[in-house]
């Protein structure tokens, strides 16, 4: 006699075939993504909605076929952060170890809300955090991994509020006798406002000072830093002087001729250059304002990026400048 299972349980054998099909699609994508454009010229909203209209949920479809369709659409209509010439936001290319780890985590689905539910997962996390802290020269480290900068920054705000206002966890902001004040730099993360204007002032006034640590591990990957230095040097040689000062592989440049015609013209001109590069599919970069100064921002985050990719980005920028 066999016990009935829910309709969502397709069985281990079929599950293995499904995971194998997904793995083959991922391997195929990562093996060929560098051969195609970094981003589509257009978002393709109309074509995507037409495709989705054919999936009305009224009839079943083979899972493997659906996976292949989804991968095809993701490849055609999206910015590929796994591309070696993606010089955009902080979206590092995943490693094979990371991808395999995501599969294990998804399959086991450990409940991290309580230590008693997942002591192995929690202790692994703490062990890795202690190792990373040691490599970065930090004496101690308490924390947790997050899915991205927005969650990490929100966590920092909650910790700061709890430390300064012990009643906050129970009553929230409405229960505080006075409202807390947040200071933010002009270039702060859009997810929330950073916590202090200057480190010196923070010390003098007893203000919690938060520094976004998303780069912590990357700073200890010297290869990206060297590539960032190469990118800055090559762009400078081509008439794109760097306008930011940091050892991190975030290179911000501006065209002197465009700047000479005023900030409004400069902002529009640099935005047009960035748009041309992105539409060409040769690379992905973004615009930024540093102390109100319009510029182009190139951020190296992929372990797949090579010297030839750096040169390709320089070429793409030069071609866009010639057309604007």
């Amino acid at each position: 006699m066999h016990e009935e299972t829910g309709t969502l349980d397709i069985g281990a054998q079929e599950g293995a075939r499904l995971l194998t099909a997904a793995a083959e699609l991922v391997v195929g994508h990562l093996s060929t993504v560098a051969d195609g454009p970094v981003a589509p010229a257009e978002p393709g909203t109309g074509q995507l909605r037409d495709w989705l209209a054919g999936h009305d949920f009224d009839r079943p479809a083979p899972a493997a076929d659906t996976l292949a369709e989804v991968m095809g659409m993701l490849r055609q209509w999206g910015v590929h952060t796994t591309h070696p010439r993606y010089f955009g936001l902080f979206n590092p290319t995943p490693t094979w170890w990371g991808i395999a780890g995501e599969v294990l985590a998804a399959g086991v689905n450990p409940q991290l809300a309580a230590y008693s539910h997942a002591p192995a997962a929690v202790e692994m996390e703490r062990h890795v955090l202690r190792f990373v802290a040691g490599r970065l020269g930090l004496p101690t480290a308490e924390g947790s991994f997050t899915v991205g900068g927005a969650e990490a920054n929100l966590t920092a705000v909650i910790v700061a509020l709890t430390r300064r206002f012990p009643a906050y966890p129970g009553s929230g902001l409405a229960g505080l006798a006075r409202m807390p004040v947040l200071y933010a730099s002009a270039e702060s993360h859009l997810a929330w406002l950073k916590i202090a204007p200057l480190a010196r002032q923070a010390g003098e006034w007893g203000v919690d000072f938060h520094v976004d640590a998303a780069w912590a591990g990357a700073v200890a990957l010297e290869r990206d830093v060297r590539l960032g230095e190469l990118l800055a040097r090559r762009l400078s040689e081509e008439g794109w002087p760097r306008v930011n000062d940091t050892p991190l592989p975030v290179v911000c440049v501006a065209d002197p001729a465009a700047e000479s015609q005023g900030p409004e013209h400069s902002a529009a001109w640099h935005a047009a250059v960035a748009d041309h590069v992105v539409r060409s599919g040769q690379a992905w970069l973004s615009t930024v304002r540093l102390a109100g100064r319009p510029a182009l921002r190139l951020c190296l985050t992929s372990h797949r990026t090579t010297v030839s990719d750096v040169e390709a980005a320089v070429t793409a920028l030069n071609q866009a400048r010639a057309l604007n």
Side-chain angles (χ1 to χ4, degrees):
M1 179 177 181
H2 296 285
E3 186 177 354
E4 266 191 48
T5 60
T7 56
L8 293 179
D9 188 356
I10 61 176
Q13 189 174 9
E14 183 62 26
R17 282 196 290 265
L18 190 63
L19 289 177
T20 299
E24 289 175 350
L25 289 169
V26 171
V27 171
H29 168 68
L30 291 178
S31 299
T32 59
V33 65
D35 300 329
V38 184
E42 300 291 341
T45 304
Q47 295 183 53
L48 283 167
R49 290 179 178 174
D50 289 342
W51 170 66
L52 288 169
H55 296 268
D56 53 13
F57 305 104
D58 287 338
R59 57 190 181 278
D65 294 347
T66 302
L67 283 178
E69 280 191 74
V70 170
M71 177 58 86
M73 287 299 177
L74 290 175
R75 284 173 61 85
Q76 184 177 0
W77 303 110
V79 176
H80 294 303
T81 60
T82 55
H83 199 290
R85 292 193 299 280
Y86 173 77
F87 300 112
L89 309 178
F90 192 75
N91 295 304
T93 297
T95 65
W96 290 113
W97 302 286
I99 295 171
E102 289 283 355
V103 173
L104 293 183
V108 178
N109 194 24
Q111 169 58 276
L112 297 179
Y115 182 93
S116 61
H117 280 53
V122 173
E123 290 300 332
M124 290 178 195
E125 179 182 52
R126 288 177 173 176
H127 179 71
V128 174
L129 285 170
R130 285 193 295 267
F131 169 77
V132 173
R135 289 295 299 269
L136 297 174
L138 300 175
T140 59
E142 292 292 337
S144 62
F145 289 110
T146 64
V147 297
E151 183 183 351
N153 290 336
L154 177 60
T155 301
V157 170
I158 293 174
V159 170
L161 287 171
T162 302
R163 178 169 177 256
R164 291 291 173 177
F165 304 96
Y168 169 75
S171 61
L173 293 176
L176 303 183
R178 52 195 176 93
M179 293 299 292
V181 176
L182 230 65
Y183 289 91
S185 67
E187 294 83 25
S188 61
H189 194 284
L190 294 179
W192 64 280
L193 302 178
K194 289 185 177 179
I195 295 180
L198 301 157
R200 181 180 58 81
Q201 290 184 357
E204 291 178 357
W205 293 91
V207 177
D208 287 320
F209 183 62
H210 172 73
V211 179
D212 193 337
W215 275 95
V219 173
L221 302 171
E222 293 86 352
R223 177 181 175 278
D224 285 354
V225 174
R226 290 195 299 269
L227 282 175
E229 294 170 348
L230 172 64
L231 176 61
R233 184 171 67 253
R234 287 291 295 115
L235 287 173
S236 179
E237 292 170 353
E238 296 292 328
W240 296 92
R242 188 174 191 172
V243 298
N244 67 324
D245 182 17
T246 176
L248 298 175
V250 182
V251 181
C252 299
V253 297
D255 181 81
E259 287 192 297
S260 67
Q261 300 184 52
E264 290 188 8
H265 172 84
S266 178
W269 188 90
H270 284 92
V273 168
D275 184 65
H276 183 275
V277 172
V278 171
R279 285 176 177 271
S280 73
Q282 297 180 73
W284 200 98
L285 50 88
S286 59
T287 57
V288 69
R289 283 182 180 265
L290 298 176
R293 184 181 183 182
L296 297 172
R297 176 183 181 274
L298 296 92
C299 177
L300 283 79
T301 63
S302 176
H303 62 270
R304 294 171 176 259
T305 302
T306 63
V307 172
S308 62
D309 294 310
V310 169
E311 292 295 338
V314 174
T315 299
L317 275 174
N318 286 338
Q319 291 174 345
R321 176 167 58 186
L323 296 173
N324 286 275

